[in-house]
Amino acid sequence: MSELQISRRAIMKAMLAGSATPWIMSSRALASSCDDHIVRVGVIGAPDSVNPFATWSSFWPLVFSYDFLVGVDAQRHPDRKGFAKSWSVAGDNLTWTFKIWPGMRWSDGQPATARDAAFTYNYMRDSIGKPDELNVGWNNTSGLENVKSITALDDETLQIVTKKPNRWPIDNTTMLVPEHVWRDISYADARSSFRNDPPLVGTGPMIAAEFQQAQFVRFTPNPHFRTGQPKTAGLIIQLFTTIDPISQGLKSGSLDYGSGLTAAQVADLSKDPNIVVGEASVEQRNYLAFNTLSGKEAGSTKALQDPAFRDAIGYAIDQQAIVDRALRGHADPGVGLVMPVAKDYYSDLSDIRRHFDLAEAGRRLDAAGYRDTNGDGVREDKEGNSFQLELITGQVSGNIEMPIAAVQLIAGWLGQIGIPVSVTQLDSGALNARTAGPANGGGRWDLVVASSWLSPSPHDLLVLGKSADQANRSYWSNEKFDQILSQTDVTVDVKKSQELVDQAVRLIYTEAPYIMLCYPSAMDAHRKDCFQDWGLDTASSWSYFPLDRVRPV
Protein backbone atom coordinates (compact mmCIF):
# COMPACT_ATOMS: atom_id res chain seq x y z
CA MET A 1 0.00 0.00 0.00
CA SER A 2 1.03 3.57 -0.37
CA GLU A 3 0.99 5.32 2.96
CA LEU A 4 -2.66 6.16 2.76
CA GLN A 5 -3.33 2.64 1.65
CA ILE A 6 -3.16 2.17 5.29
CA SER A 7 -2.25 4.32 6.41
CA ARG A 8 -3.98 1.55 7.70
CA ARG A 9 -4.73 1.44 8.41
CA ALA A 10 -4.26 1.14 6.65
CA ILE A 11 -4.93 0.26 9.36
CA MET A 12 -6.15 1.44 10.41
CA LYS A 13 -4.99 4.05 8.95
CA ALA A 14 -7.33 5.97 8.60
CA MET A 15 -10.71 9.46 9.60
CA LEU A 16 -12.34 13.40 11.11
CA ALA A 17 -12.93 17.11 11.33
CA GLY A 18 -14.91 18.78 14.02
CA SER A 19 -14.96 19.70 17.67
CA ALA A 20 -12.31 18.60 20.12
CA THR A 21 -15.08 17.94 22.61
CA PRO A 22 -17.33 14.87 22.42
CA TRP A 23 -19.54 15.16 19.37
CA ILE A 24 -23.18 15.90 19.85
CA MET A 25 -25.32 12.82 19.34
CA SER A 26 -27.75 13.33 16.52
CA SER A 27 -29.71 10.16 17.16
CA ARG A 28 -31.26 8.74 20.28
CA ALA A 29 -30.11 5.36 19.00
CA LEU A 30 -26.57 6.29 20.03
CA ALA A 31 -27.43 6.38 23.73
CA SER A 32 -25.69 3.54 25.54
CA SER A 33 -27.49 0.60 27.09
CA CYS A 34 -26.50 -3.02 27.65
CA ASP A 35 -30.10 -3.96 26.94
CA ASP A 36 -30.06 -3.07 23.23
CA HIS A 37 -27.02 -5.33 22.55
CA ILE A 38 -25.45 -2.70 20.25
CA VAL A 39 -21.66 -2.39 20.57
CA ARG A 40 -20.44 1.21 20.77
CA VAL A 41 -16.89 1.92 19.66
CA GLY A 42 -14.95 5.17 19.92
CA VAL A 43 -12.11 6.00 17.53
CA ILE A 44 -10.14 9.00 16.35
CA GLY A 45 -10.73 9.29 12.66
CA ALA A 46 -12.25 11.09 9.72
CA PRO A 47 -13.73 8.70 7.15
CA ASP A 48 -14.82 10.80 4.21
CA SER A 49 -16.58 8.20 2.08
CA VAL A 50 -17.82 4.61 2.08
CA ASN A 51 -16.67 4.09 -1.51
CA PRO A 52 -13.47 2.00 -1.32
CA PHE A 53 -12.35 3.15 -4.78
CA ALA A 54 -12.50 6.84 -3.82
CA THR A 55 -11.02 7.11 -0.33
CA TRP A 56 -7.88 6.23 1.60
CA SER A 57 -9.18 7.35 4.96
CA SER A 58 -12.05 4.97 5.66
CA PHE A 59 -10.43 1.65 6.60
CA TRP A 60 -12.77 1.81 9.54
CA PRO A 61 -15.71 1.56 8.69
CA LEU A 62 -15.20 -0.26 5.37
CA VAL A 63 -13.31 -3.23 6.81
CA PHE A 64 -16.41 -4.33 8.73
CA SER A 65 -18.49 -4.64 5.56
CA TYR A 66 -15.99 -5.85 2.95
CA ASP A 67 -13.55 -8.77 2.94
CA PHE A 68 -10.02 -9.05 1.59
CA LEU A 69 -9.26 -12.09 -0.53
CA VAL A 70 -6.55 -13.06 2.01
CA GLY A 71 -4.64 -10.16 3.59
CA VAL A 72 -2.58 -9.85 6.74
CA ASP A 73 -4.81 -11.40 9.40
CA ALA A 74 -5.67 -14.50 7.40
CA GLN A 75 -1.97 -15.27 7.03
CA ARG A 76 -1.35 -14.83 10.75
CA HIS A 77 -4.48 -16.39 12.24
CA PRO A 78 -6.22 -19.51 10.87
CA ASP A 79 -9.56 -18.40 12.34
CA ARG A 80 -9.61 -15.02 10.58
CA LYS A 81 -9.97 -15.98 6.91
CA GLY A 82 -11.36 -13.54 4.40
CA PHE A 83 -13.14 -14.10 1.09
CA ALA A 84 -10.92 -17.11 0.36
CA LYS A 85 -11.11 -20.21 2.54
CA SER A 86 -7.74 -21.50 1.33
CA TRP A 87 -5.04 -20.74 -1.21
CA SER A 88 -1.94 -22.23 -2.83
CA VAL A 89 0.74 -21.35 -5.36
CA ALA A 90 2.03 -23.68 -8.07
CA GLY A 91 5.64 -24.70 -8.49
CA ASP A 92 6.18 -21.93 -11.04
CA ASN A 93 5.48 -19.35 -8.29
CA LEU A 94 3.23 -17.60 -10.81
CA THR A 95 -0.09 -19.42 -10.63
CA TRP A 96 -2.14 -18.87 -7.48
CA THR A 97 -5.36 -20.76 -6.76
CA PHE A 98 -7.92 -19.60 -4.22
CA LYS A 99 -10.86 -21.62 -2.97
CA ILE A 100 -13.81 -19.41 -2.10
CA TRP A 101 -16.18 -20.29 0.75
CA PRO A 102 -18.92 -22.51 -0.70
CA GLY A 103 -22.41 -21.08 -0.48
CA MET A 104 -21.24 -17.65 0.67
CA ARG A 105 -23.66 -14.77 0.09
CA TRP A 106 -23.54 -11.00 -0.05
CA SER A 107 -25.47 -9.17 2.62
CA ASP A 108 -28.36 -8.66 0.17
CA GLY A 109 -28.68 -12.43 -0.25
CA GLN A 110 -27.05 -12.70 -3.70
CA PRO A 111 -24.38 -15.43 -4.15
CA ALA A 112 -20.82 -14.25 -3.44
CA THR A 113 -18.49 -16.20 -5.70
CA ALA A 114 -15.09 -16.25 -7.32
CA ARG A 115 -16.66 -14.31 -10.17
CA ASP A 116 -17.15 -11.31 -7.87
CA ALA A 117 -13.52 -11.46 -6.80
CA ALA A 118 -12.38 -11.69 -10.43
CA PHE A 119 -14.66 -8.77 -11.30
CA THR A 120 -13.23 -6.56 -8.54
CA TYR A 121 -9.62 -7.12 -9.62
CA ASN A 122 -10.29 -6.93 -13.35
CA TYR A 123 -12.41 -3.80 -12.86
CA MET A 124 -9.33 -2.08 -11.46
CA ARG A 125 -6.82 -3.76 -13.77
CA ASP A 126 -8.71 -2.77 -16.90
CA SER A 127 -8.56 0.89 -15.81
CA ILE A 128 -4.73 0.99 -15.87
CA GLY A 129 -3.46 3.69 -18.21
CA LYS A 130 -6.86 5.28 -18.71
CA PRO A 131 -7.62 8.90 -17.75
CA ASP A 132 -9.82 7.70 -14.90
CA GLU A 133 -7.53 4.94 -13.65
CA LEU A 134 -8.67 3.61 -10.29
CA ASN A 135 -5.61 4.74 -8.36
CA VAL A 136 -7.00 7.21 -5.82
CA GLY A 137 -8.54 4.98 -3.15
CA TRP A 138 -8.07 1.98 -0.93
CA ASN A 139 -9.05 -0.23 -3.87
CA ASN A 140 -6.40 0.74 -6.41
CA THR A 141 -4.31 -0.55 -9.27
CA SER A 142 -1.02 -0.78 -7.37
CA GLY A 143 0.47 -4.24 -7.99
CA LEU A 144 -1.91 -5.18 -10.77
CA GLU A 145 0.65 -4.18 -13.38
CA ASN A 146 2.48 -7.40 -12.44
CA VAL A 147 -0.60 -9.60 -12.96
CA LYS A 148 -1.11 -11.51 -16.21
CA SER A 149 -4.63 -12.82 -15.67
CA ILE A 150 -7.39 -13.11 -13.09
CA THR A 151 -9.98 -15.78 -13.82
CA ALA A 152 -12.91 -17.42 -12.03
CA LEU A 153 -12.52 -21.07 -13.00
CA ASP A 154 -15.85 -21.77 -11.33
CA ASP A 155 -17.94 -20.24 -8.55
CA GLU A 156 -15.58 -21.50 -5.87
CA THR A 157 -12.19 -21.24 -7.62
CA LEU A 158 -10.25 -18.09 -8.44
CA GLN A 159 -6.96 -18.21 -10.35
CA ILE A 160 -4.46 -15.36 -10.43
CA VAL A 161 -1.43 -15.66 -12.71
CA THR A 162 1.35 -13.13 -12.22
CA LYS A 163 3.89 -12.06 -14.83
CA LYS A 164 6.76 -12.60 -12.39
CA PRO A 165 6.87 -14.33 -9.01
CA ASN A 166 5.45 -12.10 -6.28
CA ARG A 167 3.22 -12.27 -3.20
CA TRP A 168 0.71 -9.62 -4.27
CA PRO A 169 -2.11 -12.16 -4.70
CA ILE A 170 -2.15 -12.88 -0.95
CA ASP A 171 -0.74 -9.61 0.38
CA ASN A 172 -3.03 -7.15 -1.40
CA THR A 173 -5.71 -5.49 0.70
CA THR A 174 -8.32 -4.88 -1.97
CA MET A 175 -11.84 -4.89 -0.55
CA LEU A 176 -13.88 -7.25 -2.71
CA VAL A 177 -17.15 -5.83 -4.00
CA PRO A 178 -20.23 -7.40 -5.63
CA GLU A 179 -20.33 -7.33 -9.42
CA HIS A 180 -24.09 -6.81 -9.46
CA VAL A 181 -23.66 -3.48 -7.63
CA TRP A 182 -20.55 -2.14 -9.35
CA ARG A 183 -20.55 -3.43 -12.93
CA ASP A 184 -22.39 -0.40 -14.35
CA ILE A 185 -20.38 2.21 -12.43
CA SER A 186 -17.96 4.08 -14.70
CA TYR A 187 -14.34 4.54 -13.65
CA ALA A 188 -14.88 8.30 -13.46
CA ASP A 189 -17.78 7.84 -11.05
CA ALA A 190 -16.09 5.06 -9.06
CA ARG A 191 -13.10 7.25 -8.24
CA SER A 192 -15.10 10.34 -7.39
CA SER A 193 -18.83 10.97 -7.44
CA PHE A 194 -20.35 7.54 -6.76
CA ARG A 195 -21.32 7.69 -3.08
CA ASN A 196 -21.98 3.99 -2.51
CA ASP A 197 -24.68 5.06 -0.09
CA PRO A 198 -25.57 2.71 2.79
CA PRO A 199 -26.67 0.11 3.28
CA LEU A 200 -23.52 -1.31 1.76
CA VAL A 201 -23.51 -4.75 0.15
CA GLY A 202 -20.63 -6.80 1.48
CA THR A 203 -19.58 -10.14 2.92
CA GLY A 204 -18.25 -8.79 6.22
CA PRO A 205 -19.99 -9.36 9.56
CA MET A 206 -21.37 -5.84 9.94
CA ILE A 207 -23.00 -3.82 7.17
CA ALA A 208 -22.75 -0.04 7.24
CA ALA A 209 -26.37 1.14 7.36
CA GLU A 210 -25.88 4.85 8.12
CA PHE A 211 -22.90 7.17 7.66
CA GLN A 212 -22.85 10.63 9.18
CA GLN A 213 -19.50 12.19 8.33
CA ALA A 214 -17.58 13.52 11.35
CA GLN A 215 -20.15 11.93 13.67
CA PHE A 216 -20.77 8.20 13.48
CA VAL A 217 -21.22 5.08 11.38
CA ARG A 218 -24.04 2.71 12.29
CA PHE A 219 -23.95 -0.99 11.33
CA THR A 220 -26.43 -3.83 11.32
CA PRO A 221 -25.46 -7.52 11.54
CA ASN A 222 -25.04 -9.32 8.24
CA PRO A 223 -27.68 -12.08 8.26
CA HIS A 224 -25.73 -13.97 5.59
CA PHE A 225 -22.27 -13.82 7.22
CA ARG A 226 -20.47 -17.07 6.37
CA THR A 227 -19.94 -18.17 9.99
CA GLY A 228 -23.43 -17.12 11.05
CA GLN A 229 -25.06 -13.81 11.87
CA PRO A 230 -23.12 -11.97 14.60
CA LYS A 231 -24.66 -12.29 18.06
CA THR A 232 -24.86 -8.55 18.70
CA ALA A 233 -27.71 -6.35 17.51
CA GLY A 234 -25.35 -3.99 15.71
CA LEU A 235 -22.37 -1.68 15.98
CA ILE A 236 -21.93 2.08 16.18
CA ILE A 237 -18.52 3.65 15.54
CA GLN A 238 -18.42 7.09 17.11
CA LEU A 239 -15.86 9.45 15.56
CA PHE A 240 -13.71 11.85 17.56
CA THR A 241 -10.90 14.31 16.89
CA THR A 242 -9.16 13.80 20.24
CA ILE A 243 -8.63 10.84 22.50
CA ASP A 244 -9.94 12.25 25.81
CA PRO A 245 -13.65 11.74 25.01
CA ILE A 246 -12.96 8.08 24.24
CA SER A 247 -11.38 7.51 27.63
CA GLN A 248 -14.24 9.38 29.29
CA GLY A 249 -16.80 7.32 27.37
CA LEU A 250 -15.24 4.07 28.52
CA LYS A 251 -15.30 5.20 32.13
CA SER A 252 -18.91 6.39 31.96
CA GLY A 253 -20.13 3.32 30.09
CA SER A 254 -21.27 5.23 26.99
CA LEU A 255 -18.62 3.33 24.99
CA ASP A 256 -17.88 -0.39 25.02
CA TYR A 257 -14.55 -0.20 23.21
CA GLY A 258 -11.96 2.49 22.49
CA SER A 259 -8.70 2.47 20.56
CA GLY A 260 -5.66 4.71 20.23
CA LEU A 261 -5.43 5.32 23.97
CA THR A 262 -2.47 7.00 25.64
CA ALA A 263 -0.28 5.44 28.29
CA ALA A 264 -1.77 7.70 30.96
CA GLN A 265 -5.31 6.77 29.97
CA VAL A 266 -4.52 3.05 29.99
CA ALA A 267 -3.02 3.37 33.46
CA ASP A 268 -6.15 5.15 34.66
CA LEU A 269 -8.64 2.84 32.96
CA SER A 270 -6.89 -0.27 34.27
CA LYS A 271 -8.07 0.70 37.78
CA ASP A 272 -11.71 0.20 36.77
CA PRO A 273 -12.85 -3.39 37.48
CA ASN A 274 -15.27 -3.25 34.53
CA ILE A 275 -12.57 -2.32 32.01
CA VAL A 276 -9.91 -4.51 30.40
CA VAL A 277 -6.96 -2.78 28.74
CA GLY A 278 -4.81 -4.26 25.99
CA GLU A 279 -1.50 -3.54 24.30
CA ALA A 280 0.06 -4.97 21.14
CA SER A 281 2.93 -4.28 18.77
CA VAL A 282 1.73 -3.01 15.42
CA GLU A 283 3.15 -1.88 12.09
CA GLN A 284 3.18 1.85 12.82
CA ARG A 285 6.45 3.74 12.42
CA ASN A 286 6.93 7.19 13.92
CA TYR A 287 9.69 9.08 12.15
CA LEU A 288 11.52 12.33 11.62
CA ALA A 289 11.74 13.02 7.88
CA PHE A 290 13.91 15.55 6.05
CA ASN A 291 12.69 17.46 3.01
CA THR A 292 15.32 16.27 0.53
CA LEU A 293 13.90 18.19 -2.44
CA SER A 294 15.78 20.78 -4.44
CA GLY A 295 14.13 23.61 -6.33
CA LYS A 296 11.16 25.70 -5.29
CA GLU A 297 9.65 22.96 -3.08
CA ALA A 298 12.90 22.57 -1.12
CA GLY A 299 13.35 23.40 2.51
CA SER A 300 15.12 26.44 3.90
CA THR A 301 18.64 25.04 3.42
CA LYS A 302 20.49 22.76 1.02
CA ALA A 303 21.87 20.95 4.06
CA LEU A 304 18.67 18.91 4.14
CA GLN A 305 19.78 17.34 0.85
CA ASP A 306 23.15 16.28 2.33
CA PRO A 307 23.31 12.71 3.74
CA ALA A 308 26.19 13.75 6.01
CA PHE A 309 24.02 16.44 7.63
CA ARG A 310 21.12 14.06 8.07
CA ASP A 311 23.37 11.35 9.49
CA ALA A 312 24.80 13.78 12.04
CA ILE A 313 21.29 14.75 13.14
CA GLY A 314 20.64 11.06 13.73
CA TYR A 315 23.21 11.07 16.53
CA ALA A 316 21.25 13.85 18.25
CA ILE A 317 18.05 11.79 18.56
CA ASP A 318 17.68 9.63 21.66
CA GLN A 319 15.07 7.03 20.66
CA GLN A 320 15.10 5.34 24.04
CA ALA A 321 14.39 8.64 25.78
CA ILE A 322 11.46 9.22 23.42
CA VAL A 323 10.06 5.81 24.36
CA ASP A 324 10.63 6.28 28.09
CA ARG A 325 9.67 9.93 28.49
CA ALA A 326 7.14 10.64 25.74
CA LEU A 327 5.45 7.25 25.41
CA ARG A 328 5.99 5.95 28.96
CA GLY A 329 7.57 2.77 27.70
CA HIS A 330 4.72 1.76 25.39
CA ALA A 331 6.84 1.53 22.23
CA ASP A 332 10.05 0.05 20.86
CA PRO A 333 12.94 2.40 20.02
CA GLY A 334 13.20 3.28 16.34
CA VAL A 335 15.99 1.83 14.22
CA GLY A 336 15.29 1.11 10.55
CA LEU A 337 12.32 0.95 8.21
CA VAL A 338 11.20 -2.44 9.52
CA MET A 339 9.34 -2.62 12.80
CA PRO A 340 9.80 -5.52 15.27
CA VAL A 341 6.33 -6.97 14.65
CA ALA A 342 7.44 -7.81 11.09
CA LYS A 343 9.54 -10.60 12.53
CA ASP A 344 10.61 -12.13 9.22
CA TYR A 345 12.31 -8.90 8.14
CA TYR A 346 13.30 -7.00 11.28
CA SER A 347 16.94 -6.25 12.10
CA ASP A 348 18.33 -4.09 14.89
CA LEU A 349 21.16 -3.05 12.52
CA SER A 350 23.60 -3.43 15.40
CA ASP A 351 26.66 -3.17 13.16
CA ILE A 352 25.71 0.25 11.70
CA ARG A 353 23.28 1.61 14.28
CA ARG A 354 23.79 5.17 15.48
CA HIS A 355 23.93 5.90 19.18
CA PHE A 356 22.74 9.01 20.97
CA ASP A 357 25.73 11.31 21.46
CA LEU A 358 25.34 15.06 21.12
CA ALA A 359 29.11 15.55 21.04
CA GLU A 360 29.40 13.05 18.20
CA ALA A 361 26.59 14.82 16.36
CA GLY A 362 28.51 18.08 16.73
CA ARG A 363 31.75 16.55 15.49
CA ARG A 364 30.03 15.13 12.42
CA LEU A 365 28.38 18.45 11.65
CA ASP A 366 31.77 20.16 11.94
CA ALA A 367 33.37 17.58 9.63
CA ALA A 368 30.56 18.03 7.10
CA GLY A 369 31.11 21.79 7.00
CA TYR A 370 28.26 22.98 9.22
CA ARG A 371 30.00 25.06 11.87
CA ASP A 372 29.22 27.95 14.18
CA THR A 373 31.75 30.37 12.73
CA ASN A 374 30.69 33.50 14.60
CA GLY A 375 30.25 31.97 18.03
CA ASP A 376 26.58 32.90 18.45
CA GLY A 377 25.58 29.33 19.26
CA VAL A 378 23.92 28.73 15.90
CA ARG A 379 25.59 26.83 13.09
CA GLU A 380 25.68 28.04 9.51
CA ASP A 381 25.09 26.07 6.35
CA LYS A 382 27.56 26.01 3.46
CA GLU A 383 26.00 29.13 2.00
CA GLY A 384 26.78 31.00 5.22
CA ASN A 385 23.19 31.22 6.42
CA SER A 386 22.36 30.53 10.06
CA PHE A 387 20.13 27.52 10.57
CA GLN A 388 16.51 28.04 11.57
CA LEU A 389 14.55 24.94 10.65
CA GLU A 390 10.79 24.55 10.63
CA LEU A 391 9.53 21.23 12.00
CA ILE A 392 5.93 20.46 11.15
CA THR A 393 3.91 17.77 12.85
CA GLY A 394 0.35 16.63 13.44
CA GLN A 395 -1.87 13.64 13.98
CA VAL A 396 -2.04 11.26 11.02
CA SER A 397 -5.68 10.24 10.71
CA GLY A 398 -6.27 6.74 12.00
CA ASN A 399 -2.78 6.30 13.44
CA ILE A 400 -1.67 6.14 17.05
CA GLU A 401 -1.11 9.63 18.38
CA MET A 402 2.50 10.82 18.70
CA PRO A 403 2.81 12.84 21.92
CA ILE A 404 3.97 16.42 21.38
CA ALA A 405 6.50 15.72 24.14
CA ALA A 406 8.50 13.68 21.61
CA VAL A 407 8.64 16.64 19.23
CA GLN A 408 9.71 18.92 22.06
CA LEU A 409 12.54 16.53 22.95
CA ILE A 410 13.76 16.55 19.34
CA ALA A 411 13.66 20.35 19.13
CA GLY A 412 15.59 20.57 22.38
CA TRP A 413 18.33 18.20 21.27
CA LEU A 414 18.79 19.94 17.94
CA GLY A 415 18.97 23.30 19.69
CA GLN A 416 21.78 21.95 21.86
CA ILE A 417 23.89 21.20 18.77
CA GLY A 418 23.32 24.61 17.22
CA ILE A 419 20.34 23.82 14.98
CA PRO A 420 17.39 25.94 16.20
CA VAL A 421 13.98 24.48 15.38
CA SER A 422 10.53 26.07 15.39
CA VAL A 423 7.59 23.68 15.70
CA THR A 424 4.34 24.06 13.76
CA GLN A 425 1.43 21.82 14.75
CA LEU A 426 -1.09 21.07 12.01
CA ASP A 427 -4.35 19.17 11.79
CA SER A 428 -4.43 15.98 9.76
CA GLY A 429 -5.63 17.62 6.55
CA ALA A 430 -3.08 20.42 6.67
CA LEU A 431 -0.26 17.96 7.41
CA ASN A 432 -1.25 15.82 4.44
CA ALA A 433 -1.42 18.90 2.21
CA ARG A 434 2.02 20.20 3.17
CA THR A 435 3.68 16.78 2.85
CA ALA A 436 1.94 15.84 -0.38
CA GLY A 437 4.04 15.25 -3.47
CA PRO A 438 5.45 18.37 -5.18
CA ALA A 439 3.06 17.89 -8.11
CA ASN A 440 0.20 18.18 -5.64
CA GLY A 441 1.43 21.32 -3.93
CA GLY A 442 3.51 19.79 -1.16
CA GLY A 443 6.98 20.79 0.04
CA ARG A 444 8.60 23.99 1.33
CA TRP A 445 9.11 22.66 4.84
CA ASP A 446 12.29 21.40 6.55
CA LEU A 447 11.49 18.58 8.96
CA VAL A 448 8.36 16.59 9.70
CA VAL A 449 7.49 14.28 12.55
CA ALA A 450 4.76 11.97 11.32
CA SER A 451 3.85 8.29 11.16
CA SER A 452 3.10 5.52 8.74
CA TRP A 453 1.01 2.41 9.30
CA LEU A 454 1.20 0.00 6.39
CA SER A 455 1.13 -3.76 6.06
CA PRO A 456 4.11 -6.01 6.93
CA SER A 457 4.57 -7.04 3.28
CA PRO A 458 8.08 -6.44 1.89
CA HIS A 459 6.77 -3.77 -0.48
CA ASP A 460 5.03 -1.81 2.24
CA LEU A 461 8.02 -2.11 4.56
CA LEU A 462 10.14 -0.35 1.94
CA VAL A 463 7.69 1.98 0.19
CA LEU A 464 8.64 4.96 2.38
CA GLY A 465 11.81 5.13 0.28
CA LYS A 466 10.27 4.59 -3.15
CA SER A 467 10.88 7.46 -5.55
CA ALA A 468 7.84 9.66 -6.20
CA ASP A 469 5.52 7.48 -4.12
CA GLN A 470 2.98 9.35 -2.03
CA ALA A 471 4.07 7.34 1.01
CA ASN A 472 7.56 8.85 0.72
CA ARG A 473 7.23 12.03 2.75
CA SER A 474 10.96 12.75 2.59
CA TYR A 475 10.83 12.94 -1.25
CA TRP A 476 14.14 11.03 -1.24
CA SER A 477 15.06 9.31 -4.48
CA ASN A 478 17.70 6.63 -4.96
CA GLU A 479 18.00 4.50 -8.08
CA LYS A 480 19.65 1.56 -6.30
CA PHE A 481 16.95 1.50 -3.63
CA ASP A 482 14.23 1.52 -6.29
CA GLN A 483 15.94 -1.38 -8.07
CA ILE A 484 16.03 -3.43 -4.88
CA LEU A 485 12.36 -2.65 -4.22
CA SER A 486 11.49 -3.71 -7.76
CA GLN A 487 13.28 -7.02 -7.17
CA THR A 488 11.42 -7.48 -3.91
CA ASP A 489 8.12 -6.95 -5.69
CA VAL A 490 8.77 -9.99 -7.93
CA THR A 491 10.08 -12.33 -5.24
CA VAL A 492 8.02 -15.06 -3.57
CA ASP A 493 10.79 -16.86 -1.67
CA VAL A 494 10.88 -15.52 1.89
CA LYS A 495 14.63 -15.98 2.35
CA LYS A 496 15.40 -14.05 -0.84
CA SER A 497 12.92 -11.36 0.21
CA GLN A 498 14.68 -11.08 3.57
CA GLU A 499 18.02 -10.51 1.86
CA LEU A 500 16.60 -7.82 -0.42
CA VAL A 501 14.76 -6.04 2.38
CA ASP A 502 17.92 -6.01 4.49
CA GLN A 503 19.92 -4.46 1.62
CA ALA A 504 17.34 -1.74 1.13
CA VAL A 505 16.98 -1.03 4.85
CA ARG A 506 20.73 -0.60 5.26
CA LEU A 507 20.96 1.67 2.23
CA ILE A 508 18.24 4.06 3.37
CA TYR A 509 19.52 4.00 6.96
CA THR A 510 22.92 5.19 5.76
CA GLU A 511 21.42 7.90 3.54
CA ALA A 512 19.15 8.96 6.43
CA PRO A 513 16.20 10.68 4.74
CA TYR A 514 14.32 9.38 7.76
CA ILE A 515 15.28 8.93 11.39
CA MET A 516 12.98 6.30 12.89
CA LEU A 517 11.87 7.52 16.30
CA CYS A 518 9.86 4.60 17.65
CA TYR A 519 7.38 1.86 16.89
CA PRO A 520 4.42 2.59 19.19
CA SER A 521 2.21 -0.05 20.73
CA ALA A 522 -1.50 0.01 20.06
CA MET A 523 -3.41 0.41 23.30
CA ASP A 524 -7.11 -0.12 23.61
CA ALA A 525 -9.70 -0.97 26.21
CA HIS A 526 -13.10 -2.59 26.41
CA ARG A 527 -15.77 -2.85 29.02
CA LYS A 528 -16.79 -6.33 30.14
CA ASP A 529 -20.18 -5.60 31.68
CA CYS A 530 -22.18 -5.68 28.42
CA PHE A 531 -20.25 -7.92 26.00
CA GLN A 532 -17.87 -10.87 26.11
CA ASP A 533 -15.53 -12.88 23.84
CA TRP A 534 -13.26 -9.93 23.08
CA GLY A 535 -10.26 -12.24 22.79
CA LEU A 536 -6.92 -12.09 24.58
CA ASP A 537 -5.23 -9.47 22.38
CA THR A 538 -6.12 -5.99 21.27
CA ALA A 539 -8.52 -5.64 18.37
CA SER A 540 -6.97 -6.41 15.01
CA SER A 541 -5.38 -3.69 12.94
CA TRP A 542 -6.16 -5.57 9.74
CA SER A 543 -9.65 -6.98 10.03
CA TYR A 544 -12.92 -6.77 11.94
CA PHE A 545 -11.75 -9.12 14.71
CA PRO A 546 -13.10 -9.48 17.39
CA LEU A 547 -16.29 -7.60 16.51
CA ASP A 548 -17.41 -10.51 14.33
CA ARG A 549 -17.67 -12.74 17.40
CA VAL A 550 -18.32 -10.51 20.41
CA ARG A 551 -21.63 -11.42 22.08
CA PRO A 552 -23.77 -10.00 24.86
CA VAL A 553 -23.05 -11.01 28.43
Side-chain angles (χ1 to χ4, degrees), residues 179 244 454 512 551:
E179 181 177 7
D244 286 344
L454 305 177
R551 59 191 177 92

Side-chain angles (χ1 to χ4, degrees), residues 24 29 116 156 167 232 314 326 335 360 369 371 375 408 430 433 464 467:
I24 299 172
D116 293 291
E156 297 177 10
R167 294 176 58 86
T232 62
V335 186
E360 179 65 17
R371 299 174 177 270
Q408 293 167 342
L464 262 66
S467 297

Side-chain angles (χ1 to χ4, degrees), residues 19 140 187 250 283 293 418 429 465 519:
S19 170
N140 65 85
Y187 294 143
L250 286 164
E283 293 83 3
L293 287 171
Y519 316 107

